[in-house]
Amino acid sequence: MNLLIMGAPGSGKGTMSEKIIEEYGLLHISTGDLLRQAVKDKTPTGLKAQEYMSKGRLVPDEIIHDLISQRLSQDDAKKGFLMDGYPRTLAQAKDLDNICHRLSITIDMIIQLDLDEEVIARRITGRRVCRNCGAIYHIETRPSKAADICDECGGPLYTRSDDTLESLKVRLAEYEDSTKPLLDHYNGKVSIERIDGDGTIDSVFASIKEVLDGIK
């Protein structure tokens, strides 16, 4: 099966993606991962992307389009995939439509994680990240054993610059303006399952598993 997962910042897309991939053996497709790998491998597309990234500029849609198209053309994508973080805009959704049409790929379902802004704010502002290994903690739901020290490597924990209320308001506004219209675009074309993201990891995943088991 081929899936898209969507939701506001802090809705749990990353955590749920990991659970889905582990449970169903799907290929995880993330534009961030694709960009980093292309730059590392110094592919023609990666070199183009590096020109923008080195200047702190957004990578143009046409480059992202090429990366997605190349990845979906590979044999392992035929076994099923979960696309996380793409598309983010209506233009990207139309690009993906064209790619899927050309490769005869069908998107089976969109998982939309819904969460109240108040809950998102608690999740985001309580997040802590290890500077050394990147492990993620939360001061309420997954605190480290020692304050501000990573359990995995002993590195210092910090709050990311975009994990503040001020930054969150900007990100949520961008989400409302750019990402939510995607649901209108896909309405009637792809099955959209809205999942309540306010629960434990296990309870939210159980809700996702219930709908996915129906299309296996």
Side-chain angles (χ1 to χ4, degrees), residues 54-97:
S54 63
K55 297 174 183 176
R57 298 167 59 189
L58 289 176
V59 177
D61 278 353
E62 55 264 29
I63 292 179
I64 302 298
H65 172 98
D66 288 346
L67 288 171
I68 294 292
S69 181
Q70 291 164 16
R71 192 65 187 90
L72 289 180
S73 299
Q74 296 175 17
D75 288 341
D76 59 351
K78 297 175 183 177
K79 300 176 182 178
F81 60 82
L82 171 69
M83 196 167 292
D84 173 16
Y86 184 90
R88 292 180 183 272
T89 66
L90 190 55
Q92 290 179 350
K94 292 178 178 179
D95 274 350
L96 182 59
D97 288 347

Side-chain angles (χ1 to χ4, degrees), residues 112-131:
Q112 168 66 26
L113 296 175
D114 291 332
L115 204 59
D116 289 339
E117 188 171 327
E118 182 179 327
V119 179
I120 291 175
R122 288 204 307 271
R123 285 188 178 184
I124 291 290
T125 57
R127 184 160 54 189
R128 300 292 183 269
V129 182
C130 177
R131 288 192 182 277

Side-chain angles (χ1 to χ4, degrees), residues 21-36:
I21 291 161
E22 181 181 357
E23 178 71 21
Y24 297 98
L26 301 178
L27 172 67
H28 185 210
I29 299 179
S30 159
T31 53
D33 292 343
L34 292 179
L35 279 169
R36 284 187 287 271

Side-chain angles (χ1 to χ4, degrees), residues 182-195:
L182 295 178
L183 298 180
D184 293 333
H185 172 75
Y186 285 114
N187 189 32
K189 301 176 184 177
V190 179
S191 174
I192 300 173
E193 292 291 339
R194 307 192 76 111
I195 302 294

Side-chain angles (χ1 to χ4, degrees), residues 6-188:
M6 297 182 180
S11 60
K13 294 189 297 297
T15 300
M16 289 303 115
S17 292
E18 290 178 2
K19 299 281 286 183
I20 293 168
I21 291 161
E22 181 181 357
E23 178 71 21
Y24 297 98
L26 301 178
L27 172 67
H28 185 210
I29 299 179
S30 159
T31 53
D33 292 343
L34 292 179
L35 279 169
R36 284 187 287 271
Q37 190 62 50
V39 170
K40 180 181 178 181
D41 293 343
K42 297 182 179 180
T43 66
T45 305
L47 292 174
K48 289 180 184 177
Q50 181 63 33
E51 292 179 11
Y52 291 89
M53 295 167 67
S54 63
K55 297 174 183 176
R57 298 167 59 189
L58 289 176
V59 177
D61 278 353
E62 55 264 29
I63 292 179
I64 302 298
H65 172 98
D66 288 346
L67 288 171
I68 294 292
S69 181
Q70 291 164 16
R71 192 65 187 90
L72 289 180
S73 299
Q74 296 175 17
D75 288 341
D76 59 351
K78 297 175 183 177
K79 300 176 182 178
F81 60 82
L82 171 69
M83 196 167 292
D84 173 16
Y86 184 90
R88 292 180 183 272
T89 66
L90 190 55
Q92 290 179 350
K94 292 178 178 179
D95 274 350
L96 182 59
D97 288 347
N98 292 332
I99 293 170
C100 289
H101 177 74
R102 180 173 59 82
L103 297 175
S104 298
I105 290 173
T106 299
I107 301 298
D108 296 300
M109 183 178 289
I110 294 172
I111 298 168
Q112 168 66 26
L113 296 175
D114 291 332
L115 204 59
D116 289 339
E117 188 171 327
E118 182 179 327
V119 179
I120 291 175
R122 288 204 307 271
R123 285 188 178 184
I124 291 290
T125 57
R127 184 160 54 189
R128 300 292 183 269
V129 182
C130 177
R131 288 192 182 277
N132 291 343
C133 70
I136 299 176
Y137 299 86
H138 192 279
I139 58 175
E140 294 179 0
T141 59
R142 194 194 174 207
S144 56
K145 295 176 182 177
D148 299 325
I149 300 296
C150 177
D151 295 345
E152 303 295 327
C153 71
L157 304 184
Y158 76 106
T159 302
R160 296 189 330 191
S161 60
D162 58 347
D163 283 352
T164 63
L165 284 177
E166 294 75 13
S167 178
L168 177 61
K169 289 178 181 178
V170 173
R171 293 163 66 194
L172 288 176
E174 290 176 347
Y175 170 74
E176 292 287 341
D177 291 341
S178 300
T179 309
K180 276 199 169 180
L182 295 178
L183 298 180
D184 293 333
H185 172 75
Y186 285 114
N187 189 32

